[in-house]
Amino acid sequence: MNWHEIGSIEDIPARGARCVTTPQGRIGVFRTADNEIYAMEDHCPHRGGPLSQGIVHGASVTCPLHNWVFSLETGMALGADEGSVKTMPVQVVDGRILLGFERPLMAAE
Ligand code: FES
C-alpha cells in the first residue's frame, strides 16, 4: 500500500467531509462525530451525487441528491437501496490523514 498525506484531521469538521482529487478520481474523506475517518469515491452509484456534500450520521452518509444512505465502513447502500461505493484505505497518523493507494502515484501527482 502506498500512503499519501492529504491533509490534517482538523481540516474536516466533525460530521463533515471534504473532497480530494486524486489520480483515482474524486475521493470523499469523511469525519464522524467520534472522529473516525473514512474515505470513499465521491460518486453516488445512483446518479452520481457528490457524497462529500452529504450528511454524515453515525458511520453513514446520506447522498445530497436523493437521500440514499451508504455505510462509510463498507460502502454498501443501506436500507432498501442497492449498490455500493468503492471505499479506500485511510489512516490517521499524528493528526495527519493518509490515503492508501494500491499502486505508486506518478511523480507529477
Ligand atoms: S444520486 Fe445519490 S441518491 Fe441519487
Side-chain angles (χ1 to χ4, degrees):
M1 191 65 64
N2 298 276
W3 295 98
H4 289 269
E5 181 177 345
I6 53 104
S8 163
I9 191 171
E10 301 301 331
D11 296 339
I12 306 176
R15 288 183 296 177
R18 63 183 282 224
C19 176
V20 295
T21 300
T22 78
Q24 294 183 14
R26 291 183 305 125
I27 304 296
V29 183
F30 302 83
R31 177 177 174 182
T32 70
D34 295 332
N35 296 318
E36 298 288 335
I37 298 290
Y38 297 96
M40 60 169 53
E41 287 182 341
D42 193 16
H43 185 94
C44 178
H46 179 221
R47 293 201 188 155
L51 295 172
S52 65
Q53 295 177 31
I55 296 173
V56 176
H57 47 102
S60 305
V61 61
T62 297
C63 179
L65 294 195
H66 313 100
N67 298 328
W68 284 24
V69 180
F70 298 90
S71 164
L72 292 170
E73 296 171 322
T74 66
M76 299 298 295
L78 302 176
D81 300 317
E82 295 183 2
S84 65
V85 185
K86 188 176 186 314
T87 59
M88 282 194 72
V90 63
Q91 62 177 329
V92 178
V93 178
D94 294 334
R96 298 172 303 126
I97 301 171
L98 307 175
L99 278 186
F101 294 87
E102 289 172 7
R103 289 192 299 266
L105 302 183
M106 305 305 288
E109 298 159 355

